[in-house]
Amino acid sequence: MTDVVRPREDTRARIVEVAAQLLREQGPTAVTTRGVAHGAGVQAPTIYRLFGDKDGLLEAVAEHALADFTSVKASVVETAAAQGVDPLVDLRAGWDTQIAFGLENPDLFRLLNDPARFASSPAAAAGLQVLRARVHRIAEAGRLRVSEQRAVGLIQAAGVGSVQTMLAPPAGQRDAGLADEAYEAVLRQILVDAPPREEGDGAAAIVAFRAVAPQLEVLTAAERALLLDWLDRAIAGSA
């Protein structure tokens, strides 16, 4: 069984790699069944059998590319946490990487951010989890004034919107500072100026406590659930 499955997996991977290269270099119109089959050294029916149609192939390309990109981001976040890198420095690095990826891979970026595809993509879910991990570190540091969920949503919306806006005009006419300004605007909405002290920002202190509350093993599961519900309501009321 393994000997039969392995060639099928190798063929599928080769087809996806060829389609991804055509997409990067020539755009979606170049990803034809005939062109991909020729580049991968297979017959066109093989593509239909493995992917169903061109849309299925493009979906596989998007998932493959996002999975690779996300795995790199996840390892960077893990390293940053282990080395005690400032969570805001780590967040900015992730933002810059995401913006650069979108501008360098416009067709792939549009595929990846198709709402219908994003909602059902395991790789997209993994990428979102990387952003959540970055935001969680900021919450633990006492720098977040809004809920982690709201912060993630604002950062994600600003990142996708910035790339889409910058991709609209020709490359030479793009506003190079737009993404930086959008990032700073989001930070002004989600951060306090400094870690809260006794006289500091109460909302940030609540958010910081919310970040660590699920780890309070001294409480029962029911007690933790009740505490989290109180904290979530307190955060929502202070927004």
Side-chain angles (χ1 to χ4, degrees):
M1 176 66 72
T2 301
D3 291 340
V4 174
V5 172
R6 181 80 269 172
R8 177 187 176 92
E9 292 178 347
D10 291 344
T11 299
R12 191 180 192 280
R14 188 166 69 252
I15 291 171
V16 169
E17 289 288 353
V18 169
Q21 182 177 359
L22 287 172
L23 180 65
R24 285 193 304 269
E25 296 177 354
Q26 302 178 44
T29 57
V31 187
T32 64
T33 302
R34 176 177 297 181
V36 173
H38 176 75
V42 300
Q43 299 297 315
T46 301
I47 294 179
Y48 292 116
R49 185 172 69 252
L50 293 176
F51 303 98
D53 54 19
K54 179 181 175 178
D55 286 341
L57 175 57
L58 285 173
E59 182 137 356
V61 169
E63 187 70 14
H64 170 72
L66 186 56
D68 284 350
F69 184 56
T70 298
S71 66
V72 172
K73 289 199 300 181
S75 66
V76 170
V77 172
E78 291 174 4
T79 300
Q83 295 179 349
V85 175
D86 186 322
L88 287 177
V89 172
D90 183 38
L91 179 65
R92 180 59 197 244
W95 172 275
D96 289 342
T97 299
Q98 188 77 28
I99 297 298
F101 177 84
L103 296 179
E104 293 167 5
N105 303 274
D107 294 306
L108 189 54
F109 176 84
R110 293 185 181 101
L111 274 176
L112 294 174
N113 287 282
D114 178 344
R117 180 174 288 109
F118 190 92
S120 60
S121 166
L128 192 56
Q129 188 56 40
V130 171
L131 177 56
R132 289 187 181 124
R134 283 189 159 114
V135 170
H136 184 69
R137 292 188 65 221
I138 295 173
E140 288 182 318
R143 297 297 309 275
L144 212 57
R145 72 163 72 247
V146 300
S147 70
E148 293 181 43
Q149 181 179 0
R150 171 62 62 84
V152 168
L154 286 170
I155 295 167
Q156 185 182 21
V160 173
S162 293
V163 174
Q164 289 179 334
T165 301
M166 295 174 73
L167 287 175
Q173 299 177 24
R174 292 173 185 165
D175 180 353
L178 187 145
D180 289 340
E181 292 292 336
Y183 180 77
E184 293 300 329
V186 170
L187 292 191
R188 287 193 291 271
Q189 291 296 315
I190 69 174
L191 297 182
V192 294
D193 292 335
R197 304 179 189 276
E198 185 176 345
E199 71 281 3
D201 191 303
I206 296 172
V207 173
F209 185 38
R210 173 63 174 80
V212 300
Q215 304 165 24
L216 297 176
E217 296 183 358
V218 68
L219 301 177
T220 66
E223 290 169 336
R224 281 196 300 272
L226 182 59
L227 175 60
L228 293 176
D229 180 58
W230 285 343
L231 292 171
D232 286 339
R233 281 194 269 169
I235 294 169
S238 63

